[in-house]
Amino acid sequence: MAEEKSQASSSKMLTLKASDGVLFEVELNIAKEMKTVQAYIDDCEDIETIPIPNVLGKHLAIVIEYIKKTNEEYDAEFEKQWNMDDLQLLLLAANYLNISGLQECLCKAIAKRIENKSPEYVRKVFNIENDHSPEEEAKLRKEYKWAFEGVDKD
Amino acid sequence: MKKIETSSKISLLNLPESTLDVILELLSPIELINMSKVCTYLRGKCRSDHLWDNHMKHKWGRVFGHFAFKEWQWHVTIITKEEGSVLNQQINILNGSLGSFSGSWPMLCVGSYLEECHNFKSLLLANHFMMALYLSLESGKFWFPAQLYRGLYVHDALVSYNSITDTFRARTRSWNGRIVGNDLHWDKLRFSPVETSSCVRHVSDCFQELKPGDHIEIQWRGNTQAPYEWFADWWYAVIGHLDSCNENENYCLCQNSETLVVEFKQYPQRSSMRKAKLTRHTEDSAGNYGGIRKLHSQEEIQKWNELLDHQRYI
């Protein structure tokens, strides 16, 4: 269970409830960085617990920490800690919660991990099925190599 | 929105399309080509004109301009025509596609040339114009019109890129296509600002309004006798005052005179090379001087002034 202790008794606290039931107490100004939550608050002023049905506790914890600590240095190190599955789930979370800074950071991270990688590698790490026919596959393999230099080994 | 189970595998394709677009926009051309091989959905997305247009602007914007693009459109038309059509036959003869022509024999001028154009046919037929264009430039197969900086003038040429050395080769636009430059760096090139043909005099539209202080580029050729001399060089100059004028702004009537004074600042004041006197409304092609292009962009004027300063200190 990950329950945050409140920082200052004067600032208003909000509770976010993740999809697996984990509760997070966050300051209002942190919660407002998530535009989806902001919209919720705008609609129902007196709400104290906001349900976040699409995000697991473990990812919501990471998102909240990001909002608190984000700066150039933090962002640069942030993406290195997570595996590909978590990166994609975090991006889905950031997308749902509508946090533009985090979305940008994660998109850059994913793009970086595709750098100089082969199509086979991309299929493996992103769980994508190859739906090309064998003929198409053979044709694509050779296409446009002549325009550039080689690609890195996986 | 559907609840995501921890046990099921997540795929990149689960992301919303707009988010996927953001990721694809961050990828380099090589990465886009690799991604297009992953699955049929990504193949369509990674070849879209929007993504490749970004790369065109980013890498080629400074040297590949509007008139070069028109040449490309000409090649697209030829290549995508049906086999056996009159236009299409040009390709069978030369294995490449000749661009637009101007002038008349023997002073024929070629607008561009696309080598091994069959390489681009399937992309073009699938309407992936920008990707085909980018690859034609990157591979060096597209000899496109551009201008080379040479001291205080620019020279019209056809250029082709070498991706291994990140430099260009240049040929004349004349029929013989003689090589005029190798290992040219990016900063030696700029896009063609007018639809110039090296073999005809540029038709100026600014003669009427030229006045002292205006910055211009003027066509010049060294030898007026030889039939193969081209109007391929453009020199930087400034419109000067007539000798009779005392250069007082309020009393200057130089703009109304039939005589146009073109001043080349790289020569000292007393030099005979400093000023050239031309007739404002002449269509005379026999002289050394050709058409004039008035400069409006501060960037262009500044570049010339930097080159002038550099010249003076040598």
Side-chain angles (χ1 to χ4, degrees):
Chain A
M1 284 277 281
E3 258 183 286
E4 303 280 341
K5 290 204 163 37
S6 52
Q7 299 290 324
S9 50
S10 53
S11 53
K12 183 168 179 208
M13 301 302 284
L14 217 62
T15 305
L16 303 176
K17 183 173 172 183
S19 62
D20 47 1
V22 180
L23 296 171
F24 296 89
E25 242 191 296
V26 292
E27 289 175 28
L28 188 59
N29 61 326
I30 302 285
K32 280 180 165 193
E33 289 295 314
M34 311 178 203
K35 296 204 186 75
T36 308
V37 172
Q38 172 72 68
Y40 214 105
I41 299 170
D42 288 343
D43 272 348
C44 340
E45 273 179 20
D46 291 330
I47 194 92
E48 291 219 343
T49 304
I50 297 175
I52 313 281
N54 301 303
V55 186
L56 289 169
K58 90 171 198 179
H59 293 123
L60 193 51
I62 297 169
V63 168
I64 292 169
E65 176 136 348
Y66 175 88
I67 297 172
K68 285 182 180 167
K69 293 193 178 166
T70 178
N71 62 34
E72 231 174 271
E73 249 181 76
Y74 182 80
D75 286 11
E77 292 303 312
F78 174 75
E79 57 97 358
K80 292 179 189 170
Q81 310 167 54
W82 319 114
N83 67 32
M84 200 56 91
D85 279 358
D86 280 329
L87 270 185
Q88 291 176 87
L89 284 165
L90 283 168
L91 184 50
L92 276 170
N95 205 265
Y96 172 72
L97 292 167
N98 203 344
I99 310 164
S100 48
L102 181 55
Q103 284 185 75
E104 208 181 294
C105 175
L106 290 166
C107 282
K108 282 190 186 152
I110 291 178
K112 203 163 159 200
R113 296 210 185 177
I114 304 176
E115 229 171 76
N116 288 326
K117 294 293 189 277
S118 68
E120 289 79 21
Y121 176 85
V122 171
R123 282 187 208 123
K124 194 171 66 132
V125 294
F126 290 117
N127 304 308
I128 300 174
E129 208 184 293
N130 182 3
D131 59 346
H132 287 125
S133 70
E135 298 83 30
E136 281 175 327
E137 177 87 36
K139 190 163 160 261
L140 279 171
R141 197 171 288 280
K142 290 180 284 181
E143 261 182 359
Y144 314 124
K145 273 191 186 297
W146 45 265
F148 298 94
E149 302 192 9
V151 173
D152 281 4
K153 301 268 184 247
D154 293 347
Chain B
M1 194 167 145
K2 204 162 63 98
K3 207 168 154 189
I4 300 169
E5 303 291 341
T6 42
S7 52
S8 70
K9 282 283 194 181
I10 175 137
S11 157
L12 192 69
L13 304 183
N14 290 136
L15 293 172
E17 197 159 337
S18 53
T19 308
L20 187 57
D21 285 341
V22 172
I23 296 175
L24 294 178
E25 276 169 25
L26 293 168
L27 299 182
S28 75
I30 297 184
E31 285 151 14
L32 278 178
I33 290 182
N34 278 333
M35 284 297 274
S36 74
K37 298 178 186 182
V38 169
C39 64
T40 55
Y41 175 71
L42 283 177
R43 189 174 81 198
K45 282 207 81 73
C46 292
R47 292 184 177 182
S48 79
D49 269 0
H50 166 68
L51 288 173
W52 288 90
D53 193 37
N54 284 342
H55 287 299
M56 272 303 300
K57 289 199 176 84
H58 183 68
K59 180 162 183 174
W60 298 98
R62 268 195 57 248
V63 305
F64 190 87
H66 174 68
F67 295 107
F69 189 71
K70 276 173 77 173
E71 287 291 317
W72 172 249
Q73 288 174 314
W74 172 245
H75 292 292
V76 171
T77 306
I78 293 180
I79 295 168
T80 53
K81 280 278 182 282
E82 276 172 38
E83 297 280 337
S85 83
V86 172
L87 283 177
N88 206 257
Q89 279 168 22
Q90 267 187 287
I91 302 175
N92 297 330
I93 296 167
L94 298 160
N95 201 35
S97 169
L98 270 173
S100 65
F101 278 76
S102 47
S104 51
W105 187 263
M107 290 180 73
L108 269 181
C109 202
V110 175
S112 64
Y113 183 69
L114 183 61
E115 292 173 3
E116 294 171 35
C117 52
H118 55 268
N119 282 318
F120 308 101
K121 187 162 182 174
S122 60
L123 271 181
L124 290 174
L125 287 174
N127 294 333
H128 299 307
F129 302 115
M130 285 310 194
M131 181 175 170
L133 173 56
Y134 188 96
L135 292 181
S136 75
L137 292 172
E138 185 76 20
S139 61
K141 305 231 179 281
F142 191 18
W143 287 84
F144 62 95
Q147 291 184 323
L148 317 180
Y149 278 102
R150 284 179 172 173
L152 290 164
Y153 69 95
V154 281
H155 180 81
D156 283 330
L158 292 184
V159 299
S160 149
Y161 181 65
N162 181 345
S163 61
I164 297 181
T165 58
D166 193 30
T167 60
F168 293 85
R169 300 170 293 168
R171 293 182 184 276
T172 65
R173 293 198 204 172
S174 65
W175 189 248
N176 62 27
R178 190 170 46 93
I179 293 270
V180 291
N182 268 314
D183 299 320
L184 298 164
H185 287 274
W186 286 82
D187 57 6
K188 283 268 182 272
L189 265 65
R190 73 176 194 188
F191 64 77
S192 302
V194 288
E195 198 162 14
T196 45
S197 153
S198 309
C199 51
V200 297
R201 193 175 181 280
H202 172 66
V203 175
S204 319
D205 56 0
C206 56
F207 271 128
Q208 198 64 24
E209 45 171 81
L210 287 174
K211 62 187 191 307
D214 282 349
H215 302 266
I216 62 162
E217 286 169 9
I218 182 167
Q219 279 179 313
W220 185 85
R221 57 181 179 177
N223 189 336
T224 60
Q225 300 304 311
Y228 297 99
E229 275 308 308
W230 309 97
F231 274 115
D233 296 340
W234 292 80
W235 287 79
Y236 169 67
V238 175
I239 301 295
H241 291 275
L242 298 168
D243 293 335
S244 54
C245 179
N246 66 359
E247 303 194 11
N248 183 319
E249 208 180 294
N250 297 323
Y251 301 109
C252 168
L253 297 167
C254 295
Q255 191 173 358
N256 302 332
S257 163
E258 190 54 28
T259 305
L260 193 64
V261 173
V262 174
E263 199 169 338
F264 299 99
K265 287 186 165 174
Q266 60 269 37
Y267 299 108
Q269 283 282 5
R270 294 189 198 288
S271 161
S272 60
M273 309 280 278
R274 173 107 177 177
K275 288 187 179 185
K277 293 187 178 63
L278 308 175
T279 318
R280 213 178 265 262
H281 297 100
T282 180
E283 292 306 316
D284 177 21
S285 299
N288 296 83
Y289 293 100
I292 289 181
R293 179 176 85 94
K294 182 173 169 182
L295 300 181
H296 296 279
S297 136
Q298 275 311 308
E299 208 184 308
E300 283 181 312
I301 296 170
Q302 199 172 327
K303 171 101 188 184
W304 283 121
N305 281 317
E306 279 167 19
L307 289 166
L308 258 177
D309 287 338
H310 184 67
Q311 197 87 336
R312 285 205 191 105
Y313 292 141
I314 293 174

